[in-house]
Amino acid sequence: MATLVVLLVFALFIVAILTGGYNKQMISRFRSHWLWEWLTTVDHKKIGILYAIGGGFFFIFGGIEALLMRIQLFFPDNQFIVGRDFNELLSMHGTTMIFFVAMPLLFALMNVAVPLQIGARDVAFPFLNALGFWLFLAGGLLMNLGWLFGGAPDSGWTNYVPIALNQYSPGSGIDYYVLGLQIAGFGTTMGGLNFLATIINMRAPGMGFLRMPLFTWTSFVASALILFGFPPLTAGLFLVMFDRLFGAQFFEVALGGNPVIWQHLFWIFGHPEVYIVVLPAFGVMSDVISNFARKRLFGYTSMVFATLLIGFLGFMVWAHHMFTVGMGPMVNSIFAIATMAIAVPTGIKVFNWMFTMWGGKITYSTAMLYAVGFIPTFVLGGVTGIMLALPPADFQYHDSYFVVAHFHYVLIGGTVFGILSGLYYWWPKMFGYKLNETLGKWNFWVFFIGFHLTFLIQHFIGLFGMPRRYFTYQEEDGITLFNQISTVGAVMMGVGALLFVANIVVSYRNRTSLVAGNDPWDGRTLEWAISSPPPVFNFAQLPQVRSLDCWWHEKMEGNKEMEPAEPLDHIHMPNDTPLPIIMSLGFFISGLGLVFRAFEVGVLGLVVVVVTMFVRSFKPDHGYHIEVEEIKATKKGA
Amino acid sequence: MSSAELNHAQTSAPLPPHPEKATLEGRNKILGIWLLIGAETVLFACLFGTYLALKGSNMNGPTTEELFQIPMVAAATLILLTSSLTSVLGVVGMHQKNVKKVMLWFGITVLLGAAFLGLEIYEFIEYVHEGHTFTGSAFGSAFYTLIGTHGSHVLFGITWITCLMIQVARRGLTLETTPKLFVASLYWHFVDVVWVFIFTVVYLMGKVG
Amino acid sequence: MSRGKPIGRLFLFFAMFALLLTGCEKPLSNVLDPQGKIGKEQLELINLSVYIMIFVCVIVFAIFFYVLLRFRRKPGDNAIPKQVEGSLMLETLWIVIPIILLVILAIPTVMTTFSQAKEAPKTASEDFIRVKATGHQFWWEFEYPDYKIRTSQELHIPVGKKVYVEVTSDDVVHAFWVPGLAGKVDASPGRINRIPIDADKPGIYKGRCAELCGASHALMNFQVVAEKPSEFEKWAKKRQKPKSEPQTVEAKDGKKVFAQNCMSCHAIDGTKLKMKGDKAPNLTGFAKRNKIGGLLDNNEKNLDRWLKNPEKVKPGTYMPGFSHLNKKDLSSLKTYLKSLK
């Protein structure tokens, strides 16, 4: 069955190449379809939307997994989903939410906002940008195929060995994890590299580093964390893959292997990953709060340095996830103190946000509600983080529901609130119309209250002795009511998420009455100076940036638009290309082949990748020009 | 790339003194390769760490001292270091807009890289005969993974440079090919530097203790 | 947002919590009320951090809610607020104060980290006992090297004495945790971790596996039975000379069934058996145990359930079901097991 599927996919691919390559009619029919434009796009705004759709798609999976787990935990000794099945749910929930929801949604916001905020026409590597997206999608789909064929991963999102080795996890679950993450990880690394290069090289004239909006800054630091944080994961995944597929002995104790190596590699990646997903959310909050308080960000410079410091310290603290591994009191103490140190820059941020609002004129739009709801939530997640940093105390908290509560406070209270805030904030820039504010407020309150209902209580479930990743508990444990409250909260969060979906549908239907115009929020940063959605080239003339919050500055000077830094001239843009999606398909086929131990298929997939790389290198692609008349026409239309 | 730069690329007007940095695309490529090198450094650091943690676990197989033969590895090192030098000469040729020189020196670079790879494969075959295998012990797994990853980088490097030579042969030195050549030579230096660390950490330290 | 909402929300939470904490359920084990000195030291640290964090939260929340309510934009108010760049004094303040708080927290943390990491003295003594705990999928094995006892699922300890536990694993990574007594440590294959635990009061404390270890991770419970030292010594003596010889005809038949079906994995000390399996829990003194498989109450019905279909009780367990045994064999096996004291 499995081999058949692989062969079928491959046969389809061959057919696609043959017919597509030789049948001009078919090609032109493909090309005229609206979908083709989306499949081949290299425009960062479109890729941002694609990332949002992809992340939203996987969010449905991750959310359903979470709800199923909470239903199982509603009663003690419940028999709804137990044992390995529950382990599959928890592993896929964690992996999906981190890699296939949080990261792509943040990439969505980064793609939409960063080039506009720095006054660029595109990202530095549009091709890599598209490739990054398609690789993420290929990896995510590959991993979720486990539900259909051969079982999903069942060793947690941390995938500790030896439980993830063949002996203890037979079947293909972990192979899906290893290969899916590897492919998605390549994509993410490319994304990080791309944004670093974009922000360093492509800022508009006058946009010095200390004039960049904070979202750009946090994206910049997060991208650096991606660039240096993902290779350890890549290395670790290779080791697990070699152990599982090719009989290597990295983690086999009997042959001299050492399972703790995986834990180190994973957390050297894993801790920066936490900051990768939370820093851009900090950035969104900073921009949103300053926008809706109508005030300049309080302590901008210290915010920037706090971000850099958090990014730097993020690499120094990974072993605090491993206090119970038995590394000795010296190592534990050092990592404890390094971890506590992160509280300082984070504290700076929290106070700066509050003092940005101090003396401001706060408008509570939905975006602002999420930003405001974020502050107390994140503070609670932060203080439990400090509590977790004390090794002797951590011996009690570690791997209990206290930890589960802590990281959901940080990841939902930080990242998800940040993403939702960002989506409400930039939705008009992405699509030209706002989301419905009434539904938005419902969405916020239901989601917010449901969230606290679910997770506040989980601190206590952990303190009352329930370890994480348990599919059940006994009545004697005396934590039934607590678990039931948590489940009710989870259902409420589900309703909250549905309200967001409803809002998207309703707002789309009423989009004519929600038309946003260039600057719906009385914004401060550069993206609000151009039309919504922006033309493909973003800026007809690159703007001259004259201060921090440059668009606000121009408005205060009484200007209606940014001062151009160059004469109106024709603009050169890159061509759309189907190569990224083909290359990702190659990776996907290769991954699928390796999962099913069909090594020929694995190699064939890589051949597809290499061939596309050759085509990309040898076929010159000069892009195209947009003439002055056309630019002028777009300008008038907007 | 502004339109003026682009026109420059399409007409074959004389190249500026540093053609690889003349366009925004070129500058992005160079920055990009530096960032990639940063990421790759971390990747190799992880593999080095794994190797150092596991190098004692030879499980009755040959130890590092018994295994490694410094003269052959030293020869391989010399070959690879020389190839770094020849790639520099190739870039010098590029700056002199001398296609012949570019082809000559990058050609030698590719040949030296291939020779290095050949030596490495020969070395691997010898080790396997001595009972040092990928699946036999954690040491074996870590050794072949580290050296093999480097070897695959060498392979990628020579393929890449060969492709670029074909492009230069077809299109000459343009604003498009020169950044590619420059970037490939940077990558090549990186691969060499990694080898210097492998030579020291794996082979020399393996011999000493 | 109206003025009342955030405050109302806060009250709602506090009300809910008061309800819960005084509610009908009493948690079995509570990190905030540990029954041993080591757990109490850890609790002191937890308390200190909680006080500091409450202090931080109170300040932040006070400013936060004040700002939220005070600086709302009134309808029709189009004035531009003053664009403040920052304040060196304020910013220094919220760098310095957290550092001071962290130093206050860091000093006892480091001290406790080191003091609790002291290892067991090399020689045996009256003041403490040593135990080796080995995690298996999905049960715990306990060995008392000074008493030459090997048992499983039940860790007997004397009250008031320090127990140095050497934790390791036979297969995957587990973690040894008795939440009602003290913190946990990982059980990793190929390495030995040492932690001390102790209990002040006699009682039964629930132990748990805290690191995902497979299908029945949630069911890998064990019990810590804390007894007065004299009772502990009595238990140890009994275990050194267990009553494992079958006394009745039925029990003798049961032993035969055991020898045919069980002994390749399970061991019983104190009786002659061809082999003593070590792949599964040692069953010496089985009748005296509180739980079957560390999980079910030790009674006839549960024993039957467990023997017939262990997979149903603990998914993924290595123990096969014995529903194929005939009624007579099964009942004699049960009789024999129930006679092990």
Side-chain angles (χ1 to χ4, degrees):
Chain A
M1 171 69 191
T3 330
L4 196 73
V5 172
V6 177
L7 288 175
L8 206 69
V9 171
F10 195 70
L12 279 175
F13 181 69
I14 298 283
V15 170
I17 289 182
L18 292 180
T19 53
Y22 293 94
N23 187 333
K24 286 255 162 62
Q25 231 183 343
M26 192 138 166
I27 264 199
S28 66
R29 216 190 307 159
F30 270 139
R31 289 211 162 142
S32 56
H33 197 274
W34 61 269
L35 204 57
W36 179 261
E37 197 186 313
W38 286 91
L39 296 179
T40 59
T41 184
V42 292
D43 178 7
H44 69 93
K45 299 174 288 296
K46 281 201 179 118
I47 290 173
I49 292 168
L50 285 174
Y51 264 120
I53 294 169
F57 173 72
F58 288 116
F59 182 75
I60 297 170
F61 283 76
I64 290 174
E65 282 147 14
L67 283 174
L68 288 176
M69 285 193 286
R70 279 316 321 170
I71 291 171
Q72 158 65 18
L73 290 168
F74 195 74
F75 295 114
D77 289 317
N78 199 0
Q79 293 292 320
F80 175 51
I81 297 175
V82 298
R84 208 188 145 203
D85 298 338
F86 189 86
N87 289 353
E88 291 183 348
L89 282 183
L90 70 88
S91 309
M92 284 303 286
H93 168 73
T95 317
T96 305
M97 286 302 195
I98 294 276
F99 292 100
F100 303 122
V101 176
M103 308 253 341
L105 288 177
L106 289 171
F107 265 122
L109 297 181
M110 281 157 73
N111 264 300
V112 167
V114 167
L116 303 183
Q117 284 196 331
I118 60 173
R121 293 222 167 91
D122 208 329
V123 289
F125 306 107
F127 182 88
L128 273 192
N129 202 14
L131 183 58
F133 167 75
W134 292 110
L135 283 178
F136 137 72
L137 193 68
L141 289 177
L142 182 63
M143 196 178 295
N144 276 285
L145 269 191
W147 289 121
L148 300 176
F149 312 108
D154 61 349
S155 303
W157 87 281
T158 51
N159 200 53
Y160 272 17
V161 287
I163 189 154
L165 298 183
N166 286 329
Q167 193 187 345
Y168 302 106
S169 183
S172 35
I174 305 297
D175 300 327
Y176 281 116
Y177 173 94
V178 169
L179 290 153
L181 269 199
Q182 193 70 285
I183 292 170
F186 289 150
T188 308
T189 315
M190 285 170 198
L193 190 150
N194 187 13
F195 277 100
L196 278 177
T198 306
I199 295 172
I200 294 173
N201 263 5
M202 316 244 315
R203 281 164 291 127
M207 177 64 86
F209 270 104
L210 282 180
R211 282 183 186 171
M212 296 194 316
L214 219 73
F215 178 68
T216 300
W217 254 115
T218 51
S219 299
F220 180 69
V221 176
S223 299
L225 292 181
I226 287 173
L227 191 73
F228 298 115
F230 265 71
L233 179 72
T234 309
L237 289 174
F238 270 129
L239 304 192
V240 179
M241 179 175 125
F242 290 166
D243 262 25
R244 282 187 65 95
L245 264 60
F246 305 118
Q249 311 293 354
F250 288 105
F251 307 121
E252 182 56 59
V253 176
L255 282 160
N258 184 353
V260 179
I261 290 176
W262 164 260
Q263 298 187 19
H264 278 292
L265 289 178
F266 184 83
W267 287 117
I268 292 174
F269 146 77
H271 199 79
E273 169 72 12
V274 175
Y275 293 107
I276 291 169
V277 292
V278 88
L279 280 177
F282 284 177
V284 176
M285 301 308 177
S286 306
D287 283 5
V288 168
I289 286 176
S290 127
N291 191 148
F292 290 101
R294 307 190 86 192
K295 258 187 77 199
R296 186 194 146 105
L297 193 66
F298 191 89
Y300 171 84
T301 321
S302 68
M303 282 299 241
V304 169
F305 282 100
T307 309
L308 287 167
L309 201 57
I310 291 174
F312 176 74
L313 286 173
F315 277 103
M316 306 288 140
V317 297
W318 80 88
H320 70 214
H321 297 269
M322 300 167 62
F323 281 151
T324 63
V325 164
M327 298 175 299
M330 186 53 104
V331 175
N332 281 1
S333 300
I334 290 169
F335 279 97
I337 290 169
T339 307
M340 287 185 213
I342 296 192
V344 178
T346 316
I348 294 175
K349 283 185 165 277
V350 170
F351 282 103
N352 277 338
W353 285 320
M354 292 195 301
F355 278 79
T356 304
M357 292 190 282
W358 188 289
K361 304 268 178 206
I362 307 173
T363 315
Y364 291 106
S365 66
T366 310
M368 184 60 170
L369 277 181
Y370 271 111
V372 163
F374 154 88
I375 292 178
T377 314
F378 190 79
V379 167
L380 284 176
V383 296
T384 50
I386 299 295
M387 290 167 67
L388 278 160
L390 322 174
D394 179 70
F395 294 162
Q396 283 285 25
Y397 309 132
H398 183 80
D399 267 346
S400 76
Y401 260 83
F402 189 85
V403 176
V404 176
H406 158 73
F407 67 67
H408 281 95
Y409 261 80
V410 184
L411 285 175
I412 297 182
T415 309
V416 176
F417 284 11
I419 288 167
L420 287 168
S421 176
L423 284 175
Y424 275 99
Y425 183 57
W426 281 306
W427 199 271
K429 194 48 63 183
M430 289 160 83
F431 298 105
Y433 61 91
K434 290 197 222 179
L435 286 171
N436 183 311
E437 280 290 311
T438 317
L439 260 173
K441 276 167 192 161
W442 274 97
N443 164 224
F444 168 74
W445 284 110
V446 174
F447 193 74
F448 183 80
I449 294 170
F451 162 75
H452 283 281
L453 206 54
T454 313
F455 292 107
L456 197 60
I457 200 100
Q458 287 190 359
H459 291 107
F460 293 89
I461 295 178
L463 292 176
F464 295 156
M466 182 160 163
R468 69 196 277 206
R469 294 165 171 171
Y470 264 29
F471 68 75
T472 194
Y473 49 94
Q474 285 78 46
E475 208 172 344
E476 67 193 33
D477 294 333
I479 45 178
T480 311
L481 182 62
F482 287 54
N483 272 296
Q484 288 173 343
I485 290 173
S486 186
T487 302
V488 170
V491 172
M492 209 169 151
M493 282 176 80
V495 174
L498 285 178
L499 281 172
F500 183 66
V501 177
N503 196 352
I504 293 177
V505 175
V506 169
S507 306
Y508 177 74
R509 291 228 176 115
N510 301 316
R511 60 191 179 281
T512 41
S513 63
L514 289 164
V515 165
N518 293 4
D519 189 8
W521 312 117
D522 196 6
R524 309 176 68 83
T525 41
L526 202 43
E527 72 267 35
W528 305 111
I530 53 175
S531 63
S532 317
V536 66
F537 46 80
N538 297 347
F539 297 91
Q541 293 156 283
L542 289 183
Q544 178 68 46
V545 175
R546 297 196 290 190
S547 93
L548 177 69
D549 288 342
C550 52
W551 174 230
W552 178 264
H553 177 82
E554 298 296 332
K555 284 196 284 190
M556 289 299 110
E557 305 261 295
N559 296 331
K560 290 273 180 294
E561 55 184 29
M562 295 297 295
E563 187 191 330
E566 58 175 14
L568 197 57
D569 195 359
H570 61 196
I571 294 169
H572 171 244
M573 297 301 292
N575 281 326
D576 287 354
T577 159
L579 292 182
I581 194 170
I582 294 175
M583 208 185 260
S584 305
L585 198 62
F587 271 112
F588 181 83
I589 291 166
S590 178
L592 208 57
L594 291 177
V595 165
F596 290 109
R597 306 291 201 276
F599 295 111
E600 320 83 290
V601 182
V603 173
L604 278 171
L606 289 181
V607 168
V608 173
V609 173
V610 173
V611 168
T612 5
M613 278 166 80
F614 274 102
V615 173
R616 165 79 183 155
S617 179
F618 277 84
K619 208 177 103 196
D621 180 2
H622 296 298
Y624 66 101
H625 281 106
I626 300 173
E627 298 306 328
V628 178
E629 289 71 40
E630 205 181 322
I631 298 169
K632 276 187 185 152
T634 325
K635 248 183 150 178
K636 262 183 214 143
Chain B
M1 180 152 61
S2 83
S3 47
E5 286 167 342
L6 187 90
N7 289 341
H8 196 98
Q10 280 160 345
T11 60
S12 49
L15 286 172
H18 281 281
E20 72 275 7
K21 291 174 191 153
T23 61
L24 181 59
E25 267 88 346
R27 289 193 295 275
N28 281 345
K29 275 206 174 80
I30 294 168
L31 178 62
I33 201 76
W34 277 112
L35 295 173
L36 181 75
I37 286 173
E40 292 255 45
T41 308
V42 182
L43 181 78
F44 275 104
C46 293
L47 294 178
F48 271 110
T50 308
Y51 173 79
L52 288 177
L54 295 176
K55 74 170 181 175
S57 309
N58 51 319
M59 298 290 113
N60 303 326
T63 63
T64 51
E65 281 126 87
E66 292 159 15
L67 215 51
F68 299 151
Q69 278 157 19
I70 292 300
M72 192 176 74
V73 185
T77 309
L78 210 63
I79 289 175
L80 205 59
L81 287 181
T82 314
S83 78
S84 228
L85 179 70
T86 55
S87 79
V88 171
L89 293 173
V91 171
V92 170
M94 181 184 94
H95 283 153
Q96 294 165 347
K97 285 104 195 161
N98 185 336
V99 177
K100 259 190 198 156
K101 207 168 166 184
V102 168
M103 298 300 272
L104 173 72
W105 287 116
F106 275 111
I108 294 175
T109 307
V110 168
L111 287 180
L112 288 173
F116 171 86
L117 263 189
L119 268 182
E120 192 163 81
I121 291 166
Y122 171 75
E123 185 198 359
F124 279 10
I125 292 170
E126 281 235 311
Y127 289 165
V128 170
H129 281 302
E130 286 174 43
H132 175 56
T133 59
F134 183 64
T135 55
S137 69
F139 163 53
S141 306
F143 174 84
Y144 286 109
T145 302
L146 173 59
I147 313 286
T149 307
H150 177 263
S152 63
H153 278 71
V154 175
L155 180 65
F156 181 81
I158 54 180
T159 322
W160 188 10
I161 295 176
T162 312
C163 290
L164 294 184
M165 284 168 62
I166 297 171
Q167 291 179 20
V168 171
R170 278 194 195 162
R171 290 183 235 152
L173 294 167
T174 65
L175 282 177
E176 229 175 285
T177 50
T178 48
K180 287 185 179 182
L181 273 178
F182 188 77
V183 158
S185 82
L186 275 179
Y187 175 85
W188 191 253
H189 293 318
F190 166 72
V191 172
D192 285 2
V193 171
V194 172
W195 180 259
V196 171
F197 278 95
I198 289 179
F199 183 62
T200 320
V201 173
V202 176
Y203 290 98
L204 290 183
M205 279 166 63
K207 227 33 191 176
V208 184
Chain C
M1 189 171 66
S2 75
R3 179 179 279 261
K5 263 185 186 167
I7 294 174
R9 196 174 75 236
L10 209 67
F11 276 127
L12 186 78
F13 279 125
F14 280 125
M16 199 182 77
F17 259 85
L19 188 83
L20 275 173
L21 294 172
T22 58
C24 39
E25 278 186 303
K26 194 174 179 308
L28 183 70
S29 31
N30 188 345
V31 166
L32 303 177
D33 182 21
Q35 302 299 316
K37 284 191 192 61
I38 290 148
K40 280 178 184 147
E41 276 175 37
Q42 291 168 345
L43 178 65
E44 273 172 31
L45 204 55
I46 292 175
N47 282 340
L48 174 67
S49 64
V50 169
Y51 296 144
I52 294 178
M53 294 312 150
I54 287 178
F55 173 72
V56 171
C57 285
V58 165
I59 292 179
V60 171
F61 286 17
I63 301 175
F64 176 71
F65 284 110
Y66 175 75
V67 167
L68 238 52
L69 298 174
R70 169 76 180 72
F71 296 107
R72 279 174 305 160
R73 181 175 176 184
K74 319 270 175 325
D77 178 5
N78 277 327
I80 305 284
K82 193 169 166 239
Q83 305 290 310
V84 184
E85 280 192 25
S87 154
L88 191 62
M89 201 208 41
L90 278 175
E91 287 173 58
T92 319
L93 198 68
W94 59 63
I95 293 173
V96 173
I97 292 179
I99 290 179
I100 294 172
L101 292 177
L102 288 176
V103 171
I104 295 173
L105 195 53
I107 292 169
T109 299
V110 173
M111 279 164 57
T112 317
T113 306
F114 275 90
S115 74
Q116 291 206 337
K118 278 197 191 115
E119 292 193 357
K122 287 277 179 289
T123 50
S125 129
E126 287 288 297
D127 308 332
F128 62 87
I129 65 163
R130 288 186 286 193
V131 183
K132 195 175 168 201
T134 310
H136 300 261
Q137 278 181 330
F138 302 93
W139 57 282
W140 290 93
E141 181 181 10
F142 301 110
E143 199 187 332
Y144 297 72
D146 299 328
Y147 293 85
K148 308 248 177 318
I149 301 172
R150 192 183 283 263
T151 179
S152 58
Q153 313 289 30
E154 258 183 40
L155 175 62
H156 285 252
I157 61 166
V159 163
K161 284 192 189 177
K162 238 183 187 180
V163 182
Y164 288 101
V165 191
E166 286 190 349
V167 184
T168 186
S169 163
D170 197 37
D171 37 46
V172 302
V173 183
H174 306 275
F176 175 92
W177 188 27
V178 192
L181 293 180
K184 67 183 75 61
V185 75
D186 282 4
S188 297
R191 58 185 295 148
I192 292 171
N193 287 324
R194 296 172 179 82
I195 60 155
I197 61 168
D198 68 336
D200 290 340
K201 273 191 254 169
I204 293 175
Y205 303 97
K206 194 166 183 172
R208 322 216 67 159
C209 173
E211 182 64 65
L212 181 65
C213 62
S216 275
H217 166 56
L219 303 174
M220 198 174 148
N221 300 341
F222 61 99
Q223 290 195 319
V224 176
V225 182
E227 305 161 310
K228 289 198 189 109
S230 57
E231 302 226 341
F232 172 77
E233 291 298 328
K234 229 190 273 169
W235 172 82
K237 286 239 167 61
K238 228 185 220 169
R239 194 45 41 89
Q240 283 161 340
K241 290 200 181 71
K243 285 185 191 150
S244 303
E245 288 299 344
Q247 304 294 326
T248 64
V249 182
E250 206 190 0
K252 271 187 189 143
D253 288 346
K255 191 182 161 189
K256 270 183 212 147
V257 179
F258 185 89
Q260 278 162 10
N261 294 289
C262 318
M263 74 176 180
S264 59
C265 299
H266 291 281
I268 295 175
D269 300 324
T271 182
K272 235 184 96 187
L273 281 164
K274 265 198 211 106
M275 66 177 292
K276 284 184 178 175
D278 59 359
K279 291 195 202 81
N282 183 311
L283 292 176
T284 318
F286 176 78
K288 286 283 179 194
R289 286 194 194 149
N290 297 322
K291 300 272 182 184
I292 301 169
L295 190 66
L296 304 170
D297 286 336
N298 193 349
N299 58 35
E300 172 80 25
K301 204 179 119 213
N302 281 337
L303 184 57
D304 196 64
R305 201 176 134 205
W306 171 251
L307 284 174
K308 278 185 179 153
N309 194 354
E311 175 70 26
K312 186 92 182 102
V313 178
K314 269 193 188 183
T317 177
Y318 289 110
M319 171 147 161
F322 288 92
S323 50
H324 58 277
L325 291 182
N326 65 41
K327 236 183 184 166
K328 189 174 153 280
D329 283 355
L330 200 62
S331 98
S332 57
L333 176 64
K334 280 188 282 185
T335 309
Y336 177 58
L337 287 175
K338 279 187 290 180
S339 76
L340 298 169
K341 286 180 180 168

